[in-house]
Amino acid sequence: MDLDAYSAAHRQEWDRLDALGKQRFFSGPEADELIDRYQAGATQLSAIKTTAGSTLVGDRLSVSLSRARLRFTGASANVLSSVPRFFVLALPAALYRVRWVTLAVAVATVVIATLYAVWIAGNPQVLANLGTDAQLKQYVEDDFVAYYSDNPAASFAGQVWTNNAWIAAQCVAFGISGVWVPYIIVTNAQGVGQAAGVMFAYGKGDVFFEYILPHGMLELTAVFVAAAAGLRIFWAWVAPGPRTRGQALAEEGRALFTIAIGLVIVLFVSGLVEGFVTPAPWPWAVKMLIGGGALAAFLTYMCWWGGRAYRSGERGDLAAFEAGAKRIVAG
């Protein structure tokens, strides 16, 4: 299929479908036209996806079809009825869209943190700038571990949750600046690298991993996802394609702010792990099994379930109703 030619041939039909989808009231003939154009557009979208896969043209047509479908099906008066759709379609599809950017953020964070750790652990002068020998020993032998158990588990978990959820929301909300997300990435990596460098310098690298990994695997992944969502919004402003910048930001913002909502739940889980599992006097293997299991569940939801939702036509937009849960279950 020549996508450009196909798009040009049907552009007027799609523009009319989009215009009808934005109307609030319809005459009898307009209502009939809306349904006819919806059916035709759905067939054309299927042809585009079959021959060209995921494209910007297909995504825009999918949004128009979503608006049209909402006009003749109506919105549910029961807000709770939208909750299953959010978790089955919108959230996993939105997460899937940022999977590669998430991986890039994760790699960048690991590289920066490793460089900081090696620099600090291998340079006595740099280590000395972080504190006296007595202060650093106090941190390594007591403070690092005590941080996870000084406060009641429930209170500590709640504090960690709210702090990390706020950081994640900022990454998404302020991503358009193009500055805030890199700042968060570097600051986060610097903090982890500094702690690792000090612990390794005093021969406590095993303790560092024992207390960081159980909750950190899921917690850091959530921060990576939030940073990726923010960068996607920034890129929509830099390179909007055939859309206006306003349209690009609106479409990406609606879709990717879904991630901020979902990450509140993910970070709640990591907060529970940090508050109740990390400081527990259990074997390290048990802690790793719990933390690794939580991460594996999230990555499966993001990459496998999210891929199914995305391929069904879902884009993670809270306002889009093009796909239904039955299509996902049916595979």
Side-chain angles (χ1 to χ4, degrees):
M1 173 189 291
D2 186 333
L3 187 58
D4 291 336
Y6 191 80
S7 176
H10 295 284
R11 174 56 57 194
Q12 290 185 346
E13 300 173 39
W14 298 344
D15 288 344
R16 177 58 178 164
L17 173 66
D18 193 58
L20 288 169
K22 294 177 181 178
Q23 286 185 207
R24 294 182 61 85
F25 304 100
F26 300 89
S27 64
E30 286 177 332
D32 292 338
E33 182 186 2
L34 175 65
I35 294 175
D36 290 341
R37 291 194 180 279
Y38 173 85
Q39 293 173 336
T43 301
Q44 292 155 0
L45 177 61
S46 178
I48 292 173
K49 287 183 174 294
T50 300
T51 57
S54 178
T55 63
L56 180 59
V57 171
D59 289 350
R60 297 184 66 182
L61 178 56
S62 180
V63 172
S64 297
L65 287 167
S66 298
R67 292 197 190 101
R69 183 170 183 264
L70 186 58
R71 291 301 175 220
F72 61 76
T73 59
S76 172
N78 183 5
V79 176
L80 293 178
S81 66
S82 299
V83 173
R85 180 194 176 278
F86 175 81
F87 289 105
V88 172
L89 294 168
L91 178 57
L95 291 170
Y96 182 79
R97 291 180 61 194
V98 299
R99 64 196 186 284
W100 295 119
V101 185
T102 299
L103 178 60
V105 172
V107 171
T109 300
V110 171
V111 170
I112 294 171
T114 301
L115 291 175
Y116 263 101
V118 172
W119 181 48
I120 292 171
N123 193 325
Q125 184 175 358
V126 175
L127 192 65
N129 289 333
L130 299 177
T132 64
D133 184 64
Q135 290 173 331
L136 294 177
K137 285 184 177 179
Q138 173 70 24
Y139 172 79
V140 169
E141 296 173 1
D142 296 308
D143 295 348
F144 181 81
V145 174
Y147 169 77
Y148 298 98
S149 56
D150 277 349
N151 296 308
S155 174
F156 180 64
Q159 179 183 350
V160 169
W161 173 42
T162 53
N163 179 66
N164 289 330
W166 173 237
I167 292 174
Q170 289 180 75
C171 284
V172 178
F174 302 141
I176 188 175
S177 68
V179 176
W180 185 252
V181 171
Y183 169 76
I184 290 294
I185 293 172
V186 173
T187 302
N188 194 47
Q190 181 181 6
V192 174
Q194 181 173 310
V198 173
M199 296 295 288
F200 272 90
Y202 283 84
K204 295 289 186 177
D206 58 334
V207 177
F208 171 79
F209 284 120
E210 180 178 351
Y211 280 84
I212 286 292
L213 287 181
H215 66 274
M217 289 186 288
L218 183 59
E219 179 184 283
L220 289 174
T221 300
V223 174
F224 299 156
V225 170
L231 291 174
R232 279 291 297 264
I233 294 175
F234 172 67
W235 190 248
W237 178 77
V238 172
R243 302 169 292 180
T244 65
R245 280 192 169 84
Q247 289 174 328
L249 288 174
E251 291 174 10
E252 293 294 335
R254 284 195 303 269
L256 296 177
F257 204 77
T258 304
I259 291 176
I261 299 173
L263 289 182
V264 170
I265 300 171
V266 177
L267 288 168
F268 176 71
V269 175
S270 74
L272 290 178
V273 175
E274 187 167 0
F276 292 92
V277 177
T278 298
W282 302 339
W284 186 69
V286 174
K287 298 181 183 181
M288 285 296 296
L289 184 63
I290 295 174
L295 176 63
F298 175 71
L299 292 179
T300 300
Y301 179 73
M302 175 182 182
C303 298
W304 181 75
W305 191 264
R308 298 181 72 187
Y310 184 83
R311 287 189 293 271
S312 76
E314 177 63 44
R315 292 298 177 268
D317 191 333
L318 287 173
F321 287 85
E322 175 59 23
K326 290 184 179 179
R327 295 177 62 185
I328 297 299
V329 175

